[in-house]
Amino acid sequence: PGEAAYPIRDLGELGQRARDVLAANDLGTMVTAAPNLYPHMWSWDAAFVAAGLSTMSVARALQELDYLLAAQWNSGMIPHIVFSDVPGYFPDVERWGTRGASPEGVQSSGICQPPVHATLLRRIVERATAAGGEDGRLAEEFARRTLPRWIDWHAWLRNTRGGDGSGLLTIYHGWESGMDNSPRFDGPYSRVRPGEMEPFVRTDTLKVTDHSQRPSDEEYSRYLWLVQQMADVGFDDARLPKVMAFQVKDVFMSAIFAAANEDLAVLAEQFGHSEEAPQLRQWSQEFRQGVDATVDQGTGLARDRDVLTGEWIGLPTIAGFAPLISTGSQPLLDRQLGIFEGPDWTGDPRLAFPLPASTSTTYEGLKPRQYWRGPVWPVMNWFLAHCLRRRGDEERYRQLREASLAQLMEGHFGEYYEPFTGEPLGSMDQSWTAAVALEWLA
Ligand code: 2M8
């Protein structure tokens, strides 16, 4: 961001500016994740963006989800990127090498992202049915028509990524977690040794010119190596476990999946697919337990696991709070909330705003400006608050809302924020940041 301060005066203006950001990023077919850095549709961004859009137009919100669903693979996987025709993002569809593996006419990546969709769809449907009239009718029609597709998506996740009874989903790339370079993945990535591969030129560092805000070149070479490993086996789900150099049980994604199964069950019961609800609830239960079982009794945080070495990954990152999303255990919830509000997290008096950073602000590996290694992510603030509110915790929702709105008043809709100064970092006018601003205001 430039020196030009761009502060917002009041909440009315914040809402207007957020709507302007989404409108400016809207290609008509899709709202890109960001205007410059990310000129395509990202799977979990699209779900948050749809929720934000639904505060303006339910029809436009559902169109966004329809566009994402149109890229669903025959297996049921929803790809993490649906490419627009805008050039300039690397790796592009050619580098992904998904032609032949993806359905005819679909231009997408070949991996997935966290399944927040059912949770946000439920939110959109509830908003639309409360409004009634045409919005309610559209949402109901959409739910009835698309539920089998969302259920296929969940079945794919459960069966190809979580069929081992652990109640945890496996990811084969850090990009699947959505938290690309989080220290969570340093151990697993340290064992990824890139082999012979086509040279590449990054484009992200042309756009975020302060390179310290993005992953390193070494990290990128590992990211690209994993893409190549998948492409070499034609993105065949059955072969990935045999060839991939990165295999991690992602606890945060698993918690999202647990919650999303519950939400999908509720929608299925409401909109003509009730015979599927017991299966969805059973998956919800299975993954809720899987997540709870990862909690380190010493730290109170949930952990990932490196499938290839069997090692637990218990670093103090925001993923440690996965149980806030999914747990049914009150003692665990209470313990996690104590940690969340304590001096290592939102209670750190040095923070610009009492919001959770992507790694603990007292962690020695904290990089307060670098992407998922320290900054505060507005989309995470809203998502965790939404999960707490769903449990009936209006008070914590209100506190996180107040802090988040105060953070956003600086007016750039940053992708992430420096925890101690509140400086916006990464991409400006990031769509999911604008979308959650609208959710906070709704
Ligand atoms: C970031 O990830 C992409 C790769 O998927 C990138 O750095 O190029 C992550 O923050 C991810 O969670 C997010 O969905 C994406 C678009 O906002 O950007």
Side-chain angles (χ1 to χ4, degrees), residues 33 38 42 44-45 80 89 113 175 178 180 214 220 371-372 377 415 430 432:
Y38 306 121
W42 263 259
W44 74 329
D45 298 55
H80 105 296
Y89 178 81
Q113 264 188 334
W175 282 338
D180 312 2
R214 291 286 307 174
Y220 253 76
Y371 205 43
W372 289 98
W377 287 70
E415 185 182 7
Q430 179 86 8
W432 67 9

Side-chain angles (χ1 to χ4, degrees), residues 72-117:
Q72 186 171 28
W73 286 26
N74 298 333
S75 60
M77 183 184 79
I78 294 181
H80 105 296
I81 301 177
V82 185
F83 290 100
S84 71
D85 296 326
V86 180
Y89 178 81
F90 180 84
D92 60 8
V93 68
E94 298 310 329
R95 183 71 186 212
W96 267 100
T98 43
R99 288 192 210 283
S102 61
E104 188 72 29
V106 166
Q107 300 211 13
S108 76
S109 68
I111 56 171
C112 67
Q113 264 188 334
V116 291
H117 314 83

Side-chain angles (χ1 to χ4, degrees), residues 161-162 164 166-170 249-251 254 287 290-291 294 305:
R161 300 304 189 88
D164 59 355
S166 64
L168 295 169
L169 297 172
T170 301
K249 287 289 180 191
D250 180 334
V251 75
S254 301
F287 283 79
V291 170
T294 70
R305 195 160 51 78

